[in-house]
Amino acid sequence: MPKDMTPVNPPTLPKPAGYSHGWEVRGGKTLYLAGQVAFDKDGKVVGRGDLVAQFRQVCENLRVVVAAAGGQLTDVVKLTIYVLDADLYKRQVKAIGGVYREYFGKHFPAMTLVGARDLYDAADGCLLEIDGVACLP
């Protein structure tokens, strides 16, 4: 993580667990991450019906995009996670958290979880989509 990035977690808000309230970034370049779904490099869905496997593929896709721009996942300052079934996500949060730590370690960007009625790629079997913002040195 570049030295010019700092999490913002005011003491007057609840202590965040697994996310940050915000990030202050000074300098660098901004990379906007398009909504990533569980497609592999051939455009095939990975983990059809398996939210944890799909979360892993999406994290890998995010890693590849950030790396292609010269960064790493600790440069990500904002993620929005869209899921078709928020209750399923919550029931599998421990396993999803394990996958998250494989990719992000103890780095916690500002995050939002949104229960969505539909996703563009839902008909192909995608259960979640993640977009975000990275700030690169």
PDB file of all heavy atoms in Angstrom, residues 26-52:
ATOM      1  N   ARG A  26      -3.800  10.566  -1.358  1.00  0.00           N
ATOM      2  CA  ARG A  26      -3.138  11.767  -1.832  1.00  0.00           C
ATOM      3  C   ARG A  26      -2.145  11.355  -2.918  1.00  0.00           C
ATOM      4  O   ARG A  26      -1.236  10.583  -2.664  1.00  0.00           O
ATOM      5  CB  ARG A  26      -2.421  12.455  -0.682  1.00  0.00           C
ATOM      6  CG  ARG A  26      -3.391  13.033   0.352  1.00  0.00           C
ATOM      7  CD  ARG A  26      -2.690  13.554   1.589  1.00  0.00           C
ATOM      8  NE  ARG A  26      -1.913  12.576   2.318  1.00  0.00           N
ATOM      9  CZ  ARG A  26      -2.406  11.645   3.136  1.00  0.00           C
ATOM     10  NH1 ARG A  26      -3.714  11.545   3.313  1.00  0.00           N
ATOM     11  NH2 ARG A  26      -1.627  10.809   3.772  1.00  0.00           N
ATOM     12  N   GLY A  27      -2.363  11.837  -4.136  1.00  0.00           N
ATOM     13  CA  GLY A  27      -1.474  11.518  -5.248  1.00  0.00           C
ATOM     14  C   GLY A  27      -1.838  10.202  -5.904  1.00  0.00           C
ATOM     15  O   GLY A  27      -2.790   9.523  -5.520  1.00  0.00           O
ATOM     16  N   GLY A  28      -1.074   9.833  -6.902  1.00  0.00           N
ATOM     17  CA  GLY A  28      -1.276   8.562  -7.581  1.00  0.00           C
ATOM     18  C   GLY A  28      -2.298   8.628  -8.700  1.00  0.00           C
ATOM     19  O   GLY A  28      -2.773   9.693  -9.090  1.00  0.00           O
ATOM     20  N   LYS A  29      -2.631   7.457  -9.233  1.00  0.00           N
ATOM     21  CA  LYS A  29      -3.591   7.309 -10.334  1.00  0.00           C
ATOM     22  C   LYS A  29      -4.811   6.551  -9.815  1.00  0.00           C
ATOM     23  O   LYS A  29      -4.702   5.702  -8.937  1.00  0.00           O
ATOM     24  CB  LYS A  29      -2.987   6.489 -11.475  1.00  0.00           C
ATOM     25  CG  LYS A  29      -1.684   6.998 -12.024  1.00  0.00           C
ATOM     26  CD  LYS A  29      -1.175   6.113 -13.145  1.00  0.00           C
ATOM     27  CE  LYS A  29      -0.737   4.764 -12.618  1.00  0.00           C
ATOM     28  NZ  LYS A  29      -0.126   3.889 -13.611  1.00  0.00           N
ATOM     29  N   THR A  30      -5.956   6.822 -10.390  1.00  0.00           N
ATOM     30  CA  THR A  30      -7.183   6.138 -10.021  1.00  0.00           C
ATOM     31  C   THR A  30      -7.529   5.103 -11.084  1.00  0.00           C
ATOM     32  O   THR A  30      -7.511   5.398 -12.273  1.00  0.00           O
ATOM     33  CB  THR A  30      -8.350   7.131  -9.880  1.00  0.00           C
ATOM     34  OG1 THR A  30      -7.987   8.133  -8.923  1.00  0.00           O
ATOM     35  CG2 THR A  30      -9.617   6.434  -9.414  1.00  0.00           C
ATOM     36  N   LEU A  31      -7.816   3.898 -10.641  1.00  0.00           N
ATOM     37  CA  LEU A  31      -8.255   2.816 -11.522  1.00  0.00           C
ATOM     38  C   LEU A  31      -9.669   2.431 -11.105  1.00  0.00           C
ATOM     39  O   LEU A  31      -9.896   2.043  -9.953  1.00  0.00           O
ATOM     40  CB  LEU A  31      -7.325   1.605 -11.400  1.00  0.00           C
ATOM     41  CG  LEU A  31      -7.759   0.331 -12.115  1.00  0.00           C
ATOM     42  CD1 LEU A  31      -7.742   0.539 -13.633  1.00  0.00           C
ATOM     43  CD2 LEU A  31      -6.860  -0.833 -11.715  1.00  0.00           C
ATOM     44  N   TYR A  32     -10.608   2.548 -12.022  1.00  0.00           N
ATOM     45  CA  TYR A  32     -11.986   2.151 -11.750  1.00  0.00           C
ATOM     46  C   TYR A  32     -12.161   0.723 -12.243  1.00  0.00           C
ATOM     47  O   TYR A  32     -11.920   0.427 -13.412  1.00  0.00           O
ATOM     48  CB  TYR A  32     -12.969   3.097 -12.449  1.00  0.00           C
ATOM     49  CG  TYR A  32     -12.880   4.496 -11.905  1.00  0.00           C
ATOM     50  CD1 TYR A  32     -12.043   5.439 -12.478  1.00  0.00           C
ATOM     51  CD2 TYR A  32     -13.610   4.858 -10.776  1.00  0.00           C
ATOM     52  CE1 TYR A  32     -11.938   6.717 -11.964  1.00  0.00           C
ATOM     53  CE2 TYR A  32     -13.513   6.142 -10.251  1.00  0.00           C
ATOM     54  CZ  TYR A  32     -12.667   7.060 -10.847  1.00  0.00           C
ATOM     55  OH  TYR A  32     -12.570   8.329 -10.326  1.00  0.00           O
ATOM     56  N   LEU A  33     -12.577  -0.155 -11.349  1.00  0.00           N
ATOM     57  CA  LEU A  33     -12.738  -1.573 -11.664  1.00  0.00           C
ATOM     58  C   LEU A  33     -14.175  -1.829 -12.106  1.00  0.00           C
ATOM     59  O   LEU A  33     -15.114  -1.609 -11.341  1.00  0.00           O
ATOM     60  CB  LEU A  33     -12.403  -2.430 -10.443  1.00  0.00           C
ATOM     61  CG  LEU A  33     -10.974  -2.236  -9.914  1.00  0.00           C
ATOM     62  CD1 LEU A  33     -10.852  -2.767  -8.512  1.00  0.00           C
ATOM     63  CD2 LEU A  33      -9.996  -2.900 -10.848  1.00  0.00           C
ATOM     64  N   ALA A  34     -14.333  -2.319 -13.318  1.00  0.00           N
ATOM     65  CA  ALA A  34     -15.656  -2.672 -13.826  1.00  0.00           C
ATOM     66  C   ALA A  34     -16.216  -3.838 -13.023  1.00  0.00           C
ATOM     67  O   ALA A  34     -15.473  -4.596 -12.402  1.00  0.00           O
ATOM     68  CB  ALA A  34     -15.560  -3.050 -15.305  1.00  0.00           C
ATOM     69  N   GLY A  35     -17.513  -3.987 -13.049  1.00  0.00           N
ATOM     70  CA  GLY A  35     -18.150  -5.103 -12.361  1.00  0.00           C
ATOM     71  C   GLY A  35     -17.583  -6.432 -12.849  1.00  0.00           C
ATOM     72  O   GLY A  35     -17.676  -6.743 -14.032  1.00  0.00           O
ATOM     73  N   GLN A  36     -16.969  -7.177 -11.938  1.00  0.00           N
ATOM     74  CA  GLN A  36     -16.381  -8.468 -12.278  1.00  0.00           C
ATOM     75  C   GLN A  36     -17.303  -9.584 -11.786  1.00  0.00           C
ATOM     76  O   GLN A  36     -17.801  -9.533 -10.664  1.00  0.00           O
ATOM     77  CB  GLN A  36     -14.995  -8.616 -11.633  1.00  0.00           C
ATOM     78  CG  GLN A  36     -13.969  -7.646 -12.177  1.00  0.00           C
ATOM     79  CD  GLN A  36     -13.681  -7.893 -13.646  1.00  0.00           C
ATOM     80  OE1 GLN A  36     -13.412  -9.010 -14.066  1.00  0.00           O
ATOM     81  NE2 GLN A  36     -13.749  -6.834 -14.440  1.00  0.00           N
ATOM     82  N   VAL A  37     -17.512 -10.558 -12.651  1.00  0.00           N
ATOM     83  CA  VAL A  37     -18.289 -11.744 -12.303  1.00  0.00           C
ATOM     84  C   VAL A  37     -17.378 -12.954 -12.427  1.00  0.00           C
ATOM     85  O   VAL A  37     -16.210 -12.834 -12.777  1.00  0.00           O
ATOM     86  CB  VAL A  37     -19.548 -11.882 -13.195  1.00  0.00           C
ATOM     87  CG1 VAL A  37     -20.533 -10.754 -12.914  1.00  0.00           C
ATOM     88  CG2 VAL A  37     -19.181 -11.917 -14.666  1.00  0.00           C
ATOM     89  N   ALA A  38     -17.904 -14.132 -12.175  1.00  0.00           N
ATOM     90  CA  ALA A  38     -17.093 -15.353 -12.099  1.00  0.00           C
ATOM     91  C   ALA A  38     -16.812 -15.978 -13.459  1.00  0.00           C
ATOM     92  O   ALA A  38     -16.895 -17.192 -13.628  1.00  0.00           O
ATOM     93  CB  ALA A  38     -17.765 -16.362 -11.173  1.00  0.00           C
ATOM     94  N   PHE A  39     -16.464 -15.160 -14.444  1.00  0.00           N
ATOM     95  CA  PHE A  39     -16.048 -15.688 -15.743  1.00  0.00           C
ATOM     96  C   PHE A  39     -14.552 -15.946 -15.717  1.00  0.00           C
ATOM     97  O   PHE A  39     -13.787 -15.120 -15.219  1.00  0.00           O
ATOM     98  CB  PHE A  39     -16.355 -14.707 -16.870  1.00  0.00           C
ATOM     99  CG  PHE A  39     -17.811 -14.552 -17.209  1.00  0.00           C
ATOM    100  CD1 PHE A  39     -18.304 -13.337 -17.616  1.00  0.00           C
ATOM    101  CD2 PHE A  39     -18.694 -15.620 -17.143  1.00  0.00           C
ATOM    102  CE1 PHE A  39     -19.641 -13.175 -17.957  1.00  0.00           C
ATOM    103  CE2 PHE A  39     -20.030 -15.479 -17.476  1.00  0.00           C
ATOM    104  CZ  PHE A  39     -20.511 -14.251 -17.876  1.00  0.00           C
ATOM    105  N   ASP A  40     -14.137 -17.071 -16.292  1.00  0.00           N
ATOM    106  CA  ASP A  40     -12.715 -17.322 -16.461  1.00  0.00           C
ATOM    107  C   ASP A  40     -12.246 -16.656 -17.748  1.00  0.00           C
ATOM    108  O   ASP A  40     -13.026 -15.966 -18.419  1.00  0.00           O
ATOM    109  CB  ASP A  40     -12.404 -18.824 -16.441  1.00  0.00           C
ATOM    110  CG  ASP A  40     -13.014 -19.598 -17.599  1.00  0.00           C
ATOM    111  OD1 ASP A  40     -13.505 -18.989 -18.577  1.00  0.00           O
ATOM    112  OD2 ASP A  40     -13.001 -20.843 -17.532  1.00  0.00           O
ATOM    113  N   LYS A  41     -10.976 -16.865 -18.118  1.00  0.00           N
ATOM    114  CA  LYS A  41     -10.430 -16.178 -19.302  1.00  0.00           C
ATOM    115  C   LYS A  41     -11.123 -16.575 -20.597  1.00  0.00           C
ATOM    116  O   LYS A  41     -11.054 -15.855 -21.584  1.00  0.00           O
ATOM    117  CB  LYS A  41      -8.925 -16.405 -19.414  1.00  0.00           C
ATOM    118  CG  LYS A  41      -8.533 -17.821 -19.700  1.00  0.00           C
ATOM    119  CD  LYS A  41      -7.019 -17.948 -19.786  1.00  0.00           C
ATOM    120  CE  LYS A  41      -6.636 -19.365 -20.056  1.00  0.00           C
ATOM    121  NZ  LYS A  41      -6.174 -19.614 -21.384  1.00  0.00           N
ATOM    122  N   ASP A  42     -11.822 -17.721 -20.587  1.00  0.00           N
ATOM    123  CA  ASP A  42     -12.545 -18.167 -21.777  1.00  0.00           C
ATOM    124  C   ASP A  42     -14.012 -17.729 -21.770  1.00  0.00           C
ATOM    125  O   ASP A  42     -14.778 -18.127 -22.644  1.00  0.00           O
ATOM    126  CB  ASP A  42     -12.465 -19.688 -21.897  1.00  0.00           C
ATOM    127  CG  ASP A  42     -11.025 -20.166 -22.069  1.00  0.00           C
ATOM    128  OD1 ASP A  42     -10.269 -19.503 -22.811  1.00  0.00           O
ATOM    129  OD2 ASP A  42     -10.663 -21.183 -21.444  1.00  0.00           O
ATOM    130  N   GLY A  43     -14.398 -16.949 -20.770  1.00  0.00           N
ATOM    131  CA  GLY A  43     -15.773 -16.465 -20.696  1.00  0.00           C
ATOM    132  C   GLY A  43     -16.756 -17.483 -20.145  1.00  0.00           C
ATOM    133  O   GLY A  43     -17.962 -17.333 -20.319  1.00  0.00           O
ATOM    134  N   LYS A  44     -16.236 -18.507 -19.462  1.00  0.00           N
ATOM    135  CA  LYS A  44     -17.104 -19.532 -18.868  1.00  0.00           C
ATOM    136  C   LYS A  44     -17.269 -19.263 -17.384  1.00  0.00           C
ATOM    137  O   LYS A  44     -16.325 -18.848 -16.699  1.00  0.00           O
ATOM    138  CB  LYS A  44     -16.502 -20.914 -19.087  1.00  0.00           C
ATOM    139  CG  LYS A  44     -16.460 -21.268 -20.560  1.00  0.00           C
ATOM    140  CD  LYS A  44     -16.021 -22.684 -20.771  1.00  0.00           C
ATOM    141  CE  LYS A  44     -16.142 -22.939 -22.260  1.00  0.00           C
ATOM    142  NZ  LYS A  44     -15.206 -23.826 -22.793  1.00  0.00           N
ATOM    143  N   VAL A  45     -18.466 -19.523 -16.864  1.00  0.00           N
ATOM    144  CA  VAL A  45     -18.739 -19.306 -15.448  1.00  0.00           C
ATOM    145  C   VAL A  45     -18.019 -20.360 -14.620  1.00  0.00           C
ATOM    146  O   VAL A  45     -18.116 -21.562 -14.894  1.00  0.00           O
ATOM    147  CB  VAL A  45     -20.253 -19.348 -15.155  1.00  0.00           C
ATOM    148  CG1 VAL A  45     -20.519 -19.243 -13.666  1.00  0.00           C
ATOM    149  CG2 VAL A  45     -20.969 -18.238 -15.899  1.00  0.00           C
ATOM    150  N   VAL A  46     -17.310 -19.902 -13.612  1.00  0.00           N
ATOM    151  CA  VAL A  46     -16.638 -20.778 -12.657  1.00  0.00           C
ATOM    152  C   VAL A  46     -17.555 -20.926 -11.443  1.00  0.00           C
ATOM    153  O   VAL A  46     -18.090 -19.938 -10.941  1.00  0.00           O
ATOM    154  CB  VAL A  46     -15.282 -20.176 -12.228  1.00  0.00           C
ATOM    155  CG1 VAL A  46     -14.657 -20.981 -11.104  1.00  0.00           C
ATOM    156  CG2 VAL A  46     -14.357 -20.075 -13.420  1.00  0.00           C
ATOM    157  N   GLY A  47     -17.765 -22.140 -10.981  1.00  0.00           N
ATOM    158  CA  GLY A  47     -18.521 -22.357  -9.750  1.00  0.00           C
ATOM    159  C   GLY A  47     -20.005 -22.120  -9.868  1.00  0.00           C
ATOM    160  O   GLY A  47     -20.625 -21.567  -8.957  1.00  0.00           O
ATOM    161  N   ARG A  48     -20.601 -22.562 -10.937  1.00  0.00           N
ATOM    162  CA  ARG A  48     -22.047 -22.386 -11.110  1.00  0.00           C
ATOM    163  C   ARG A  48     -22.777 -22.895  -9.863  1.00  0.00           C
ATOM    164  O   ARG A  48     -22.597 -24.025  -9.459  1.00  0.00           O
ATOM    165  CB  ARG A  48     -22.517 -23.132 -12.348  1.00  0.00           C
ATOM    166  CG  ARG A  48     -23.958 -22.829 -12.728  1.00  0.00           C
ATOM    167  CD  ARG A  48     -24.354 -23.514 -14.027  1.00  0.00           C
ATOM    168  NE  ARG A  48     -23.578 -23.039 -15.165  1.00  0.00           N
ATOM    169  CZ  ARG A  48     -23.911 -21.980 -15.902  1.00  0.00           C
ATOM    170  NH1 ARG A  48     -25.004 -21.305 -15.624  1.00  0.00           N
ATOM    171  NH2 ARG A  48     -23.165 -21.616 -16.919  1.00  0.00           N
ATOM    172  N   GLY A  49     -23.544 -22.028  -9.224  1.00  0.00           N
ATOM    173  CA  GLY A  49     -24.310 -22.387  -8.034  1.00  0.00           C
ATOM    174  C   GLY A  49     -23.503 -22.377  -6.745  1.00  0.00           C
ATOM    175  O   GLY A  49     -24.035 -22.660  -5.683  1.00  0.00           O
ATOM    176  N   ASP A  50     -22.216 -22.051  -6.796  1.00  0.00           N
ATOM    177  CA  ASP A  50     -21.329 -22.076  -5.625  1.00  0.00           C
ATOM    178  C   ASP A  50     -20.816 -20.658  -5.376  1.00  0.00           C
ATOM    179  O   ASP A  50     -19.884 -20.202  -6.035  1.00  0.00           O
ATOM    180  CB  ASP A  50     -20.176 -23.050  -5.879  1.00  0.00           C
ATOM    181  CG  ASP A  50     -19.241 -23.198  -4.695  1.00  0.00           C
ATOM    182  OD1 ASP A  50     -19.233 -22.331  -3.788  1.00  0.00           O
ATOM    183  OD2 ASP A  50     -18.487 -24.193  -4.681  1.00  0.00           O
ATOM    184  N   LEU A  51     -21.418 -19.981  -4.411  1.00  0.00           N
ATOM    185  CA  LEU A  51     -21.079 -18.583  -4.141  1.00  0.00           C
ATOM    186  C   LEU A  51     -19.616 -18.410  -3.739  1.00  0.00           C
ATOM    187  O   LEU A  51     -18.956 -17.462  -4.169  1.00  0.00           O
ATOM    188  CB  LEU A  51     -22.000 -18.036  -3.052  1.00  0.00           C
ATOM    189  CG  LEU A  51     -21.904 -16.544  -2.759  1.00  0.00           C
ATOM    190  CD1 LEU A  51     -22.252 -15.719  -3.983  1.00  0.00           C
ATOM    191  CD2 LEU A  51     -22.815 -16.171  -1.613  1.00  0.00           C
ATOM    192  N   VAL A  52     -19.078 -19.333  -2.955  1.00  0.00           N
ATOM    193  CA  VAL A  52     -17.693 -19.213  -2.501  1.00  0.00           C
ATOM    194  C   VAL A  52     -16.726 -19.366  -3.681  1.00  0.00           C
ATOM    195  O   VAL A  52     -15.778 -18.581  -3.835  1.00  0.00           O
ATOM    196  CB  VAL A  52     -17.381 -20.225  -1.374  1.00  0.00           C
ATOM    197  CG1 VAL A  52     -15.927 -20.148  -0.962  1.00  0.00           C
ATOM    198  CG2 VAL A  52     -18.293 -19.981  -0.168  1.00  0.00           C
TER     199      VAL A  52
END
